[in-house]
Amino acid sequence: MVVGSGGKTVVGVSAADGSGEKMPKAMKIGELAQRAEVSCRTLRYYEELGLLTPHGHSQGGARLYCEQDLARVLRIRRLQSLMQLDLDEIASVLAAEDRMEALREEYRHGEPSRERRIEMLHEVIDLTSWLLSQVDSRLAGLAEFRGELSGRLDHYHERL
């Protein structure tokens, strides 16, 4: 038996909480690294920074990951390449996204009062607005750089 986070078993065995929920097939760190096209060292570093948490551990203590963990690593890599965010900034984005997911789960599976639903929606709006401001900031920088290049190109055409 392999125990995952939340007391659930990881490798195709019913959850320990009796829910009957099946956990996804577990991957060891090497398989996750290969599928995400990163090194095992990178995954350990992400874990050290709190960006990634193994889904569980084998009885021998080996880290075990699932498809959600792979998706998270791919998200980190996309934020690095697309938005040029550093790992501290990525941690903030992931924290906001994690919080929004927790609020969605509470909304879907709980029975929040009308007041709580309104609070939750305000929080999601604030988080989404903050994320949008991060994107807008990057876009403004790109627009400025594009303007510089466009000006240079116009200048070079005039010189011709």
Side-chain angles (χ1 to χ4, degrees):
M1 176 155 96
V2 180
V3 180
S5 59
K8 297 178 181 178
T9 56
V10 175
V11 185
V13 181
S14 295
D17 62 8
S19 69
E21 176 186 348
K22 297 285 184 177
M23 295 302 297
K25 179 186 176 298
M27 291 176 270
K28 290 187 177 179
I29 193 168
E31 182 181 351
L32 178 64
Q34 182 179 22
R35 289 184 63 193
E37 299 180 349
V38 298
S39 68
C40 293
R41 183 176 181 195
T42 295
L43 295 176
R44 287 186 201 99
Y45 186 57
Y46 288 171
E47 184 180 349
E48 183 181 318
L49 295 176
L51 299 175
L52 179 67
T53 303
H55 199 75
H57 291 83
S58 69
Q59 287 180 336
R63 294 170 177 89
L64 296 174
Y65 300 92
C66 65
E67 292 296 323
Q68 288 174 317
D69 299 321
L70 173 61
R72 189 167 182 97
V73 173
L74 295 175
R75 179 75 172 151
I76 292 167
R77 302 297 289 170
R78 183 157 170 79
L79 290 169
Q80 285 176 312
S81 66
L82 180 66
M83 297 265 304
Q84 297 295 303
L85 297 177
D86 64 35
L87 293 176
D88 287 336
E89 292 167 320
I90 289 171
S92 296
V93 169
L94 293 176
E97 290 177 344
D98 290 346
R99 179 62 184 147
M100 287 191 295
E101 181 57 31
L103 289 167
R104 280 191 290 272
E105 286 297 312
E106 181 183 344
Y107 193 91
R108 283 187 211 124
H109 300 295
E111 293 185 19
S113 66
R114 183 181 189 316
E115 293 80 21
R116 177 64 184 140
R117 286 194 313 265
I118 291 170
E119 287 174 14
M120 294 164 71
L121 288 169
H122 280 294
E123 187 174 353
V124 168
I125 288 168
D126 290 345
L127 290 166
T128 304
S129 296
W130 178 79
L131 288 169
L132 187 58
S133 74
Q134 300 304 300
V135 171
D136 287 343
S137 172
R138 299 296 175 174
L139 287 174
L142 285 172
E144 181 180 330
F145 182 57
R146 186 186 189 290
E148 291 172 15
L149 292 175
S150 182
R152 285 184 200 166
L153 188 59
D154 289 346
H155 174 74
Y156 298 143
H157 281 291
E158 288 173 8
R159 299 207 101 193
L160 272 177

